[in-house]
Amino acid sequence: MKFNIITFGCKVNQYESNMMKEYMLHHNFSYEEDLSKCDILIVNTCTVTNVADKKCLKMIRHLKREYPSSILAVTGCSTQNKQELYETLGIDILLGNKDKSHIAELIEEFLKTKKQYTKFYNDRNLEFEDMMIDSFNHVRAFIKIEDGCDNFCSYCIIPYVRGSVRCKKFDTVIKEAKNLADNNHKEIVLTGIHTGRYNDRGHDLADLIEELGKIDNLERIRISSIEITELGDKFLRVLKNNPKVCNHLHIPLQSGSDAILKKMNRKYDLAYFAEKIKEIREIRPDISITTDIIVGHPYETEENFWECLEFAKKIEFSKIHVFPYSLREGTAAAKMPEQVPENIKKDRVKKLIALSNELEKKYYDKFKGKMVDVLIEACDNGISFGHTSNYLYVKLNENLEIGKIIEREL
């Protein structure tokens, strides 16, 4: 029988969908790109914003309408968050954020019984769900090393739908990375909901990176995202001494105003953030530092926003991922007065994106005429595409082998 998986959201979801695909193939199902030819459709949902929920629900209603004879299995953060709503949609197999690794068995059982199956675990204290892959559907392979979050930032629903922090076993991560490297993945991206909190029996993220660095045919180790408060001396030593660690860190700022950071329940202030960035650049002067910023959080005044713009200029991020604040029921910020009107959010988003474009160009221009290492990720009609260690996206007018790292002048 043929299946397809539709994925919304973050790198963790992408990893989990890749895992589900691999497990389905191991159970003798076959993957099919054309949805109209599929017997089974699996949707892995996201709930990070209201827009994400709407996109997921729109897709599910579309699939039910267009492919009524296909088995429909739905899982992920949106189902966990909107459980009662999803239960009204007539989905054949409905899961929250647990048991994704059992999707193939659940589908096999449904084929036998034809009985709808719904299962949710409404408990934050869960064990890490074992999952492991041998190959990835991108040249840069993701490994999920951690799940859950205990930060409870005021705007964020994810701790409620992903549960508490738990981690993959240290030895399992190493084994998985070796398998991926043996299957020609030169770069590993370590990912999780709160990646910097990785810890297994005393082995932290720095220890894990050190051990991964010993894998001969693995050339790059990238961290999907890490909090500024997790860049301690031990991690900075690894950043300094391990050349396999990519010259790029994604460090969420979320706001450039101390007043709003407090409202957000973030664990640092701007002085701490700036000092830590200075320490990082003393170790790696040309490192790319990208970030996330939310605009229009409750209580954010025009003055707070201009503070944010000025701070982002001061730090000189190489790219800013900009998000308008999205009210999530059940979070602390949803109950706050002083909600910012949508038109003001949109205006602030435009201003911050304009700054991001300016900073991105400024960073890119620093490397013009210099030699860079490019991991070739795609090639089409004699044009190759890929990323450098510091996450510059490069287009080369050459027919190059996918999966190879080559040196070229930018």
Side-chain angles (χ1 to χ4, degrees):
M1 298 186 78
K2 297 177 180 178
F3 74 97
N4 189 288
I5 302 177
I6 298 149
T7 307
F8 293 89
C10 66
K11 288 184 174 66
V12 171
N13 264 17
Q14 291 176 52
Y15 172 89
E16 290 172 345
S17 290
N18 201 102
M19 174 273 300
M20 287 191 283
K21 178 181 177 181
E22 198 167 291
Y23 285 20
M24 289 286 286
L25 294 171
H26 289 164
H27 281 253
N28 298 316
F29 295 100
S30 58
Y31 187 77
E32 172 59 58
E33 287 287 349
D34 187 343
L35 299 185
S36 67
K37 296 178 181 178
C38 290
D39 307 289
I40 303 153
L41 297 169
I42 301 167
V43 182
N44 195 4
T45 63
C46 172
T47 193
V48 72
T49 63
N50 287 319
V51 171
D53 280 325
K54 288 175 183 176
K55 285 181 178 178
C56 294
L57 289 162
K58 183 179 179 181
M59 173 57 72
I60 288 157
R61 289 174 176 131
H62 167 77
L63 296 176
K64 284 189 66 64
R65 183 176 63 252
E66 296 296 322
Y67 313 110
S69 61
S70 297
I71 296 166
L72 181 60
V74 185
T75 182
C77 289
S78 187
T79 62
Q80 188 75 45
N81 189 32
K82 305 280 185 181
Q83 179 179 340
E84 291 181 2
L85 173 57
Y86 278 89
E87 286 176 344
T88 68
L89 300 180
I91 294 164
D92 298 311
I93 298 168
L94 179 60
L95 305 174
N97 260 324
K98 196 174 182 300
D99 291 346
K100 293 179 185 180
S101 61
H102 299 298
I103 193 71
E105 293 96 325
L106 292 171
I107 289 170
E108 287 173 337
E109 184 65 21
F110 180 84
L111 288 168
K112 293 176 187 174
T113 66
K114 305 300 180 185
K115 290 182 180 178
Q116 287 185 348
Y117 179 88
T118 299
K119 183 67 175 179
F120 287 88
Y121 298 79
N122 295 310
D123 181 1
R124 292 198 74 251
N125 298 311
L126 301 168
E127 295 294 319
F128 188 88
E129 184 174 355
D130 285 334
M131 48 184 75
M132 188 171 171
I133 60 173
D134 291 318
S135 62
F136 199 75
N137 58 359
H138 301 309
V139 172
R140 296 182 303 115
F142 304 163
I143 298 182
K144 177 185 167 185
I145 64 170
E146 182 274 344
D147 205 343
C149 181
D150 299 322
N151 271 10
F152 291 99
C153 298
S154 65
Y155 51 83
C156 188
I157 196 67
I158 299 306
Y160 302 94
V161 298
R162 278 282 178 175
S164 60
V165 169
R166 64 260 190 211
C167 301
K168 183 174 285 185
K169 291 179 181 177
F170 187 87
D171 293 341
T172 302
V173 179
I174 303 305
K175 181 180 178 182
E176 189 170 17
K178 285 179 178 177
N179 290 345
L180 289 165
D182 288 343
N183 285 322
N184 203 36
H185 292 286
K186 302 297 184 188
E187 179 178 316
I188 297 295
V189 184
L190 301 178
T191 190
I193 302 302
H194 193 161
T195 313
R197 284 288 304 277
Y198 179 83
N199 197 295
D200 176 52
R201 295 165 294 173
H203 295 299
D204 63 13
L205 182 61
D207 297 324
L208 184 63
I209 293 168
E210 278 293 295
E211 194 65 24
L212 289 169
K214 297 174 186 177
I215 300 173
D216 290 337
N217 52 346
L218 177 61
E219 298 191 36
R220 289 183 184 174
I221 303 163
R222 194 180 300 276
I223 301 153
S224 61
S225 180
I226 191 165
E227 294 288 342
I228 196 77
T229 51
E230 287 148 5
L231 299 169
D233 291 344
K234 185 177 179 181
F235 181 89
L236 294 181
R237 282 196 298 272
V238 170
L239 188 67
K240 181 179 180 179
N241 298 321
N242 192 330
K244 291 189 177 184
V245 178
C246 287
N247 206 29
H248 166 235
L249 289 174
H250 185 79
I251 308 171
L253 172 63
Q254 304 302 12
S255 176
S257 161
D258 278 332
I260 300 304
L261 285 174
K262 285 184 180 179
K263 296 291 185 186
M264 288 179 162
N265 193 34
R266 301 292 285 173
K267 315 298 184 190
Y268 51 85
D269 59 18
L270 299 182
Y272 180 91
F273 194 100
E275 182 58 31
K276 191 61 70 171
I277 298 299
K278 181 182 174 185
E279 288 180 39
I280 293 166
R281 286 185 170 141
E282 284 171 355
I283 293 168
R284 293 198 180 190
D286 289 332
I287 194 169
S288 169
I289 297 176
T290 57
T291 197
D292 297 330
I293 294 179
I294 296 169
V295 299
H297 187 277
Y299 293 100
E300 185 185 73
T301 65
E302 196 67 17
E303 182 182 355
N304 296 147
F305 175 68
W306 284 104
E307 286 175 35
C308 183
L309 279 176
E310 290 304 312
F311 188 76
K313 287 179 190 176
K314 172 185 171 183
I315 296 297
E316 292 189 296
F317 294 109
S318 50
K319 187 178 180 66
I320 303 168
H321 298 268
V322 185
F323 304 91
Y325 166 73
S326 179
L327 189 150
R328 313 305 288 132
E329 289 182 14
T331 63
K335 301 170 187 174
M336 292 179 181
E338 306 296 333
Q339 297 284 331
V340 177
E342 290 300 318
N343 64 316
I344 293 177
K345 286 186 205 173
K346 287 179 182 178
D347 180 64
R348 291 176 185 175
V349 164
K350 286 180 184 176
K351 288 184 171 74
L352 199 51
I353 288 175
L355 175 61
S356 177
N357 292 338
E358 180 185 319
L359 293 172
E360 191 172 5
K361 183 180 184 302
K362 183 178 179 181
Y363 182 76
Y364 182 89
D365 286 348
K366 287 170 61 175
F367 297 90
K368 279 187 175 178
K370 294 184 179 179
M371 300 300 290
V372 294
D373 291 329
V374 184
L375 173 61
I376 304 304
E377 299 170 55
C379 185
D380 185 35
N381 292 325
I383 301 174
S384 300
F385 305 88
H387 283 91
T388 62
S389 171
N390 58 341
Y391 214 55
L392 298 176
Y393 188 61
V394 177
K395 173 184 171 183
L396 298 166
N397 294 317
E398 301 176 64
N399 190 20
L400 298 167
E401 185 179 347
I402 293 172
K404 294 290 184 183
I405 296 178
I406 55 95
E407 190 176 42
R408 289 291 185 275
E409 182 178 315
L410 194 62

